[in-house]
Amino acid sequence: MASLIPAFFLLLFLSLLLPSKSSLFSPPDNHLINCGSSDPTTLDIDNRVFTGDLTYLTSSHSISLSDSNPHLSVSPIYHSIRVFTQPSNYKFAIKEQGTHFLRLHFNHFDSKKFDLGRVKFHVLANGYLLLSNFTATNIEFPFIMEYLMWVSSDELVVTFAPSKRSKLGYVSAIEVVSAPKDLIADIAKLVDNKGVEDYSGLMKQALETVFRVNVGGPKVTPFNDSVWRTWVPDDGFLKSSDGSERVYLGGRINYQVGGASREVGPDNVYNTARVIRSSNASVPKVNMTWVFPVVEGYNYLVRLHFCDIASISLGLLYFNVYVNGYLAYENLDLTYLTNDMLASPFYADFVVGGNSGVISVTVGPSNASMGYTVDAILNGIEIMKLNNSMSSLDGKVLPEVVLRSWPRKNSGCLVPLIAAMCVFLLISLVLRSKGQLRNKFGWARLPVDVSEINLKTGNLKSTGKSGDF
């Protein structure tokens, strides 16, 4: 009996560290489909089940394609794809309106039927253009594109439209999952050369996840994230780290009501960090800086995650936060923001422009920093692209322009109808010409004041440059 006591206390200790099943996030909408397959597939990495895609597909212009020689290291959802030969829709029923994750999975394998390496296509969702003339050249497979968008209707429609030149598009798997209600706030701080001011309306915009980084820690897989995200290590983005060190907390993260939840950031992000620490009475004059390449012409949401897992006491940590070189937060005091509790997470949202082609994040000591203490800390970074004024996340193209480039579904009926009308008009013209010859009347020439453009294009509305649609 005595030998069971240590095991009991070990189980009790682990139960305190790990979240209980009752606390795990359960999304109202949770559509997981394995495209090109009719059989359910269970992921090894997180035990989620992806079903076949036929019940969601509303178009017959597609082909199921399987990899004849799949790699054992690749998840089963990447062993098949759905190939589209014309614009095709997936429709997902929405039980609860609000912010949703949309994740598109792609894999590339050899096929005797199709050259997938030359494929170009567009992806649209509920009025947003997500991908334009997308091609997977020079991309490591498999890969995932993740979006967050507000759904205010009872369905989410995802459209795959091949470019007219490529005539093909494809996808491996799709996720449509309700996001936690506190994941995207409506207000952030706009940071630019004019200073810092409120930015509202964030919740109703479409966002594309560009970077999600675990600062100071290892890769976090969907198995260790309650909303199935992946966080990569920060080493490849850290440009200035002199005087910094990694820290790790083996204890419990103190999530609080009204603060960052486990869905905003998982334990494995908040229990690791990089810090600047003063080892004597002087405050080191160093900063930590991370740099991320981005596409110009868009605004970006920069979310920074903080959790003081390094200070020995409350009220000792004060530091500055800079985004794109601008002071975004002066004398950040985590003790005040977390209601006098260490190891309690907090996040801050900033909106910045990406016109320079890079976004930088810097943390460092402030005028209020003290010696013999931690003088700066950062646990995680997320960067998300915001849709532009044309409802696009990929270029200056209106979503409806992409769809107008393809004929409507009933065009097959229109062709014989137009042919019949042409025959009828031809017969009428012949009969009329005979009657006019009898009456010695001739045909008039076209009026000289008719525009050549009107003759060729009819009602010309668009003056924008056309792309490869």
Side-chain angles (χ1 to χ4, degrees):
M1 184 67 179
S3 62
L4 296 178
I5 294 178
F8 169 77
F9 281 109
L10 177 61
L11 290 175
L12 178 62
F13 175 71
L14 291 176
S15 67
L16 292 175
L17 290 180
L18 299 176
S20 65
K21 288 187 178 180
S22 61
S23 67
L24 296 179
F25 175 64
S26 179
D29 298 309
N30 191 28
H31 301 285
L32 311 174
I33 62 173
N34 184 14
C35 300
S37 175
S38 58
D39 300 324
T41 302
T42 301
L43 297 191
D44 294 334
I45 194 170
D46 54 23
N47 297 320
R48 290 187 297 161
V49 178
F50 282 65
T51 63
D53 67 334
L54 289 177
T55 56
Y56 295 89
L57 191 62
T58 63
S59 172
S60 60
H61 303 293
S62 68
I63 301 168
S64 174
L65 191 64
S66 297
D67 188 355
S68 59
N69 187 28
H71 293 283
L72 297 179
S73 60
V74 175
S75 172
I77 64 170
Y78 300 118
H79 294 176
S80 65
I81 62 175
R82 176 71 60 183
V83 178
F84 308 101
T85 57
Q86 289 190 25
S88 304
N89 294 334
Y90 283 103
K91 289 189 177 181
F92 301 89
I94 300 300
K95 297 178 182 177
E96 186 173 292
Q97 298 179 8
T99 303
H100 284 66
F101 284 106
L102 170 61
R103 297 186 179 111
L104 306 176
H105 297 249
F106 298 95
N107 189 30
H108 186 183
F109 51 78
D110 294 332
S111 169
K112 296 180 180 179
K113 295 182 179 179
F114 307 106
D115 184 1
L116 299 178
R118 296 180 179 274
V119 167
K120 282 187 178 183
F121 56 95
H122 322 282
V123 182
L124 305 93
N126 278 25
Y128 291 101
L129 180 60
L130 307 183
L131 294 171
S132 175
N133 280 315
F134 176 73
T135 182
T137 305
N138 299 325
I139 294 179
E140 184 178 352
F141 288 94
F143 68 97
I144 305 172
M145 303 291 291
E146 182 188 272
Y147 303 90
L148 281 157
M149 61 179 57
W150 181 269
V151 181
S152 57
S153 61
D154 58 0
E155 67 178 12
L156 173 62
V157 180
V158 182
T159 302
F160 293 84
S163 72
K164 295 302 291 291
R165 183 176 300 177
S166 166
K167 299 182 180 179
L168 291 175
Y170 71 95
V171 65
S172 299
I174 303 176
E175 301 177 46
V176 174
V177 181
S178 299
K181 294 183 183 298
D182 63 343
L183 187 64
I184 300 296
D186 198 51
I187 297 178
K189 293 294 184 181
L190 177 65
V191 182
D192 56 22
N193 57 1
K194 299 178 182 178
V196 180
E197 59 186 59
D198 286 343
Y199 180 99
S200 59
L202 185 63
M203 187 181 296
K204 298 298 179 66
Q205 295 195 50
L207 300 93
E208 175 190 341
T209 302
V210 184
F211 299 102
R212 184 174 284 128
V213 173
N214 184 19
V215 174
K219 180 179 180 180
V220 179
T221 66
F223 179 79
N224 292 310
D225 187 296
S226 58
V227 289
W228 307 282
R229 296 165 297 193
T230 297
W231 303 70
V232 300
D234 69 323
D235 304 79
F237 309 102
L238 186 63
K239 301 303 179 184
S240 176
S241 61
D242 293 339
S244 70
E245 62 179 89
R246 300 172 188 257
V247 294
Y248 169 76
L249 174 69
R252 189 185 184 96
I253 299 298
N254 299 311
Y255 294 95
Q256 299 185 64
V257 176
S261 66
R262 184 170 277 107
E263 283 67 52
V264 171
D267 293 37
N268 288 351
V269 168
Y270 288 127
N271 64 19
T272 61
R274 287 187 188 269
V275 301
I276 294 174
R277 193 192 304 269
S278 174
S279 58
N280 50 42
S282 63
V283 176
K285 296 181 180 180
V286 295
N287 292 324
M288 295 184 291
T289 299
W290 295 261
V291 178
F292 303 88
V294 295
V295 178
E296 298 180 21
Y298 295 88
N299 284 335
Y300 290 83
L301 171 65
V302 178
R303 172 169 290 183
L304 304 181
H305 297 265
F306 305 95
C307 186
D308 188 358
I309 60 174
S311 295
I312 60 175
S313 180
L314 294 168
L316 300 178
L317 175 59
Y318 300 89
F319 60 101
N320 290 341
V321 178
Y322 306 85
V323 182
N324 276 0
Y326 302 117
L327 181 60
Y329 219 125
E330 186 175 18
N331 293 324
L332 180 61
D333 179 5
L334 292 178
T335 295
Y336 170 76
L337 294 171
T338 58
N339 299 318
D340 298 336
M341 185 176 292
L342 292 176
S344 182
F346 167 80
Y347 73 92
D349 285 345
F350 306 99
V351 173
V352 298
N355 294 332
S356 63
V358 296
I359 289 177
S360 65
V361 172
T362 301
V363 296
S366 71
N367 293 332
S369 297
M370 296 175 283
Y372 298 106
T373 65
V374 174
D375 293 317
I377 190 170
L378 187 59
N379 303 72
I381 304 172
E382 293 181 85
I383 297 180
M384 305 179 193
K385 184 196 297 183
L386 304 181
N387 66 267
N388 61 21
S389 60
M390 305 180 78
S391 298
S392 173
L393 283 160
D394 192 10
K396 296 182 179 180
V397 180
L398 290 169
E400 52 266 29
V401 172
V402 173
L403 295 179
R404 280 205 304 262
S405 65
W406 281 87
R408 296 183 182 274
K409 292 182 179 180
N410 60 353
S411 60
C413 300
L414 288 176
V415 171
L417 179 61
I418 293 173
M421 291 178 62
C422 291
V423 172
F424 176 78
L425 290 173
L426 180 61
I427 294 173
S428 299
L429 291 173
V430 170
L431 292 176
R432 181 178 296 179
S433 64
K434 289 182 178 179
Q436 290 174 335
L437 286 172
R438 291 190 188 100
N439 296 322
K440 297 182 179 180
F441 286 101
W443 288 101
R445 296 176 58 190
L446 284 172
V448 296
D449 60 344
V450 176
S451 167
E452 181 180 358
I453 294 180
N454 289 335
L455 287 174
K456 291 182 178 179
T457 64
N459 185 15
L460 187 64
K461 294 182 178 180
S462 176
T463 58
K465 183 179 179 180
S466 62
D468 180 17
F469 300 123

